[in-house]
Amino acid sequence: CDPLHRPYITTSPLYGWGHPECVTHGDSHYWGVWWGEQPFEVYKEKTGRFMSEYGFQGYPDWSTVCRFCPSAERNIDSPTMRNHQKHARGRQIIDKAMMQYYGLDSRMLSLEDYCYVSQLLQAWGTGYGILQHLLSQPHCMGTLYWQFNDCWPVASWSSIDYYGNWKALHYRVQALYDENADLSYWQDYYSVYPKDLKLTRPDYKLIQRVEEGVLTVSLSTNQYMRDVMLQTEPHIDGHFERNYFDINVGERFETKFVPNDKNANVKNVKVTLKCLNELKIGDRTK
């Protein structure tokens, strides 16, 4: 139909992930991880010329779950929660990987903790794929994860949930896509599985202040804290400049909260945190 007879390749992808050519020709949608239930390490082998679609599911922010799920149904197997998980094997795939990489039995977690750890898992796995693609340059010269956002509040492959709240994945891709990203740091980071970390319950000091309508949080600790997640109570849609971060002994971490509504009142907000240490990874007695 093109009078200029311009060349056109029927792609996106040129070859599906089940074909060997998917890593040598055109762009690649590699879904062996997730659909094929392959481990994240497969990304190291299955890196194509342009990785234009791949990913892993994570549940949305807990505040988002509370908006669509009545309190009486806030367990992972309730009809409402199943209705907001549209992948037939979604729970099975997440639970399998959660045990493999975090050493956690999903049945031992509250729904709130399950949402949190599923986001950590999503960030860890998709981030691992991004890192392998970046390290494979010039063989691989592009990497686009699936997906950016949601059209309704749901468990999905997105990095930002329906209400605009950043999931752990969004902070991870922000760090890895930074033009000054230290890839050697991330190689070291990914050299140890979260389940193999020896974490202890930390003592920490969290200070928040509001100046000229801006909420700032500072954190210091006497223990290494892994995957710290800050949250606002009552919840305000938005994100912290940095969240889902690690902090070492003696460090002082500071971040600002960015509400989606610039006129949001942050004066009476209480900031709380969750971290992987509290789930006693490596020394779980439950």
Side-chain angles (χ1 to χ4, degrees), residues 236-255:
I236 297 177
D237 288 331
H239 65 276
F240 286 90
E241 291 176 332
R242 287 184 61 194
N243 207 351
Y244 289 93
F245 55 89
D246 301 343
I247 182 171
N248 290 312
V249 177
E251 287 185 347
R252 181 175 178 274
F253 178 90
E254 186 168 291
T255 185

Side-chain angles (χ1 to χ4, degrees), residues 110-121:
S110 67
L111 179 57
E112 182 177 0
D113 283 344
Y114 184 89
C115 291
Y116 165 69
V117 178
S118 77
Q119 288 197 28
L120 300 184
L121 178 65

Side-chain angles (χ1 to χ4, degrees), residues 34 80 98 104 115 127 185 222 251 274-275 278:
W34 183 258
T80 297
M98 191 177 289
L104 286 173
C115 291
Y185 165 82
N222 68 343
E251 287 185 347
K274 189 183 290 290
C275 68
E278 295 172 344

Side-chain angles (χ1 to χ4, degrees), residues 114-245:
Y114 184 89
C115 291
Y116 165 69
V117 178
S118 77
Q119 288 197 28
L120 300 184
L121 178 65
Q122 180 189 30
W124 202 93
T126 307
Y128 180 87
I130 293 172
L131 177 63
Q132 302 312 313
H133 304 158
L134 294 174
L135 292 172
S136 295
Q137 295 177 350
H139 171 78
C140 177
M141 292 302 289
T143 174
L144 299 171
Y145 68 95
W146 180 270
Q147 68 203 66
F148 182 72
N149 58 4
D150 286 324
C151 62
W152 75 307
V154 65
S156 81
W157 302 262
S158 73
S159 63
I160 297 179
D161 77 19
Y162 176 71
Y163 294 107
N165 301 300
W166 290 23
K167 293 159 72 172
L169 174 59
H170 207 72
Y171 294 96
R172 181 60 50 84
V173 298
Q174 182 188 54
L176 286 167
Y177 283 156
D178 190 291
E179 63 181 354
N180 297 314
D182 182 352
L183 299 187
S184 61
Y185 165 82
W186 289 108
Q187 284 180 283
D188 289 341
Y189 183 91
Y190 277 104
S191 66
V192 180
Y193 283 2
K195 69 177 181 181
D196 295 328
L197 295 168
K198 303 301 181 184
L199 301 174
T200 57
R201 193 175 299 277
D203 290 324
Y204 58 85
K205 185 176 182 179
L206 189 151
I207 299 175
Q208 63 182 81
R209 64 181 187 275
V210 176
E211 297 175 351
E212 298 181 354
V214 177
L215 173 61
T216 302
V217 177
S218 62
L219 176 68
S220 56
T221 179
N222 68 343
Q223 298 282 352
Y224 171 69
M225 295 175 68
R226 176 68 174 241
D227 292 319
V228 177
M229 179 193 70
L230 301 175
Q231 48 195 353
T232 56
E233 294 182 0
H235 174 77
I236 297 177
D237 288 331
H239 65 276
F240 286 90
E241 291 176 332
R242 287 184 61 194
N243 207 351
Y244 289 93
F245 55 89

Side-chain angles (χ1 to χ4, degrees), residues 64-75 78 80-81 111:
T64 296
V65 172
C66 292
R67 293 192 199 191
F68 68 73
C69 187
S71 57
E73 291 202 35
R74 288 177 191 164
N75 69 80
S78 72
T80 297
M81 291 304 297
L111 179 57

Side-chain angles (χ1 to χ4, degrees), residues 17 22-23 30-34 36-48 51 100-101 124-125 128-129 132-133 136 193:
W17 64 268
C22 77
V23 295
Y30 194 76
W31 286 106
V33 176
W34 183 258
E37 297 188 34
Q38 295 173 337
F40 297 130
E41 289 79 4
V42 169
Y43 284 132
K44 193 171 184 177
E45 306 168 15
K46 302 294 186 178
T47 294
M51 301 296 292
Q100 181 176 356
Y101 293 95
W124 202 93
Y128 180 87
Q132 302 312 313
H133 304 158
S136 295
Y193 283 2

